[in-house]
Amino acid sequence: MKFSVFQVSRKGGREKNEDRMGYCYTRESGLFLLADGMGGHPEGEVAAQLALQTISALYQKEARPVVRDVAEFLTTSLMAAHHQIIRYASERGMLDTPRTTLVACIVQGTHATWVHCGDSRLYVIRHNELLTRTRDHSYLEQQSAGVIRMDRINRNILFTCLGSPTKPVFDVTGPVPLQQGDRIMLCSDGLWSGLSDGDIVRHLATKPVAESVPDMVEDALRSGGDHCDNVTVIAMEWETPDSFESTKGISTDSISDGVFASTIQAGVLDTLVDDLDDAAIERSIAEINEAIKRSAGRKS
């Protein structure tokens, strides 16, 4: 398996950068992750980091060297990440939970499969055209797609995320067959809010990802101005040919079976994912709900 990959995160006009991204791979499989911690709730950067670490830890256990059922893995690992965030808040007696969006993609064999929750997006570019992209879990995107019709609300508001006391809504897509030169990009809303889909395609289609992504991020920051959101991108080009060796492409062919490589740093998780059981999850969610109710009662 061969691919070129480039990742970057730039702080915009926000007080801090709560975006997190990374990738990991085995000899025959690759996992790409991006999470955007949500403002308005505490410790968004922790929620984003917990999501990445939980899913990458489960991937390391499962990918031997491939994930047997990719769609099922993405579903169960997303829910495990959600429960880890809930438990993190419960153990610390937090009145509000850290929250994050998530987009995760597994490339295996000649196919890509992805899951997303919230408004962090995945784009697939093929032959200078947009093959597909995810649809945000916002009222605006769902209304434009004809899924829901609502008036007199802020349609840009997300109706789901990881870390909320309610069960997250998410979509799994794929497997999508890949072709030589396909580009897959995961990004936070700081990128796409400042650029049109056409701008994104133009950038990704014309140059290798190591050149196109930095230029694209700079355009998004300029477009957003002083109040621009943080801009985070991880992009890969599938099956990079020999002529693109200068892009520092990765070949997994030389990796031994059982070897796992990752750019996702550890440090937030205090316990292993295996420690979670259904009873502990339900207790955590109940405690968070009760704490929020008490806080709301005091304010009223």
Side-chain angles (χ1 to χ4, degrees):
M1 187 170 72
K2 297 181 178 66
F3 57 90
S4 292
V5 62
F6 189 87
Q7 60 181 26
V8 62
S9 186
R10 291 282 304 279
K11 185 175 177 292
R14 301 297 175 89
E15 182 180 348
K16 56 184 176 180
N17 189 350
E18 297 181 313
D19 297 354
R20 297 293 185 270
M21 84 293 191
Y23 62 94
C24 42
Y25 54 91
T26 68
R27 179 181 175 86
E28 299 179 31
S29 179
L31 169 68
F32 304 84
L33 295 162
L34 186 144
D36 181 355
M38 295 178 64
H41 302 279
E43 300 188 41
E45 72 282 5
V46 173
Q49 187 68 24
L50 277 169
L52 263 63
Q53 288 179 216
T54 302
I55 296 173
S56 64
L58 289 170
Y59 176 79
Q60 185 173 2
K61 283 184 57 180
E62 177 71 21
R64 300 289 183 167
V66 298
V67 175
R68 285 173 293 179
D69 188 329
V70 176
E72 180 183 9
F73 171 82
L74 291 172
T75 297
T76 56
S77 61
L78 178 145
M79 289 304 301
H82 170 69
H83 293 144
Q84 283 283 22
I85 297 168
I86 292 289
R87 185 169 72 167
Y88 175 89
S90 177
E91 289 176 347
R92 287 155 181 78
M94 300 174 70
L95 297 181
D96 190 14
T97 53
R99 307 183 191 194
T100 185
T101 67
L102 176 76
V103 57
C105 177
I106 288 181
V107 175
Q108 214 168 255
T110 58
H111 293 76
T113 305
W114 55 87
V115 65
H116 80 287
C117 176
D119 62 356
S120 291
R121 291 183 180 177
L122 182 144
Y123 287 77
V124 182
I125 312 301
R126 175 177 296 166
H127 302 317
N128 302 333
E129 295 182 354
L130 177 62
L131 180 65
T132 187
R133 76 160 170 86
T134 55
R135 295 293 168 185
D136 309 333
H137 293 115
S138 66
Y139 294 110
L140 178 62
E141 281 270 285
Q142 298 298 309
Q143 185 177 39
S144 64
V147 178
I148 59 173
R149 300 193 178 279
M150 304 184 74
D151 297 319
R152 290 192 290 244
I153 61 170
N154 185 341
R155 294 179 299 166
N156 290 311
I157 289 177
L158 299 182
F159 57 81
T160 191
C161 61
L162 301 190
S164 170
T166 58
K167 182 179 179 180
V169 176
F170 56 90
D171 294 312
V172 178
T173 304
V176 173
L178 296 177
Q179 295 183 11
Q180 172 74 33
D182 282 356
R183 271 87 162 174
I184 299 176
M185 181 186 75
L186 290 68
C187 67
S188 64
D189 63 332
L191 183 87
W192 61 257
S193 62
L195 301 175
S196 69
D197 286 355
D199 292 332
I200 291 172
V201 171
R202 176 176 54 82
H203 275 288
L204 286 175
T206 55
K207 293 181 288 187
V209 293
E211 299 176 27
S212 61
V213 170
D215 291 345
M216 184 167 49
V217 169
E218 289 299 324
D219 279 359
L221 289 168
R222 281 193 296 268
S223 175
D226 293 339
H227 302 290
C228 181
D229 199 351
N230 305 309
V231 180
T232 301
V233 178
I234 179 168
M236 62 89 74
E237 182 177 346
W238 173 245
E239 284 289 338
T240 306
D242 293 339
S243 59
F244 290 158
E245 283 301 319
S246 62
T247 63
K248 301 180 181 179
I250 294 172
S251 173
T252 66
D253 294 346
S254 60
I255 296 178
S256 302
D257 288 341
V259 173
F260 173 84
S262 177
T263 67
I264 299 170
Q265 296 181 348
V268 176
L269 286 177
D270 296 322
T271 56
L272 294 175
V273 175
D274 287 341
D275 291 342
L276 277 177
D277 57 33
D278 291 339
I281 290 166
E282 293 304 321
R283 284 196 303 271
S284 296
I285 294 174
E287 289 167 3
I288 291 295
N289 281 324
E290 185 60 32
I292 291 172
K293 288 178 183 177
R294 288 197 302 270
S295 177
R298 285 195 296 270
K299 289 179 181 178
S300 62

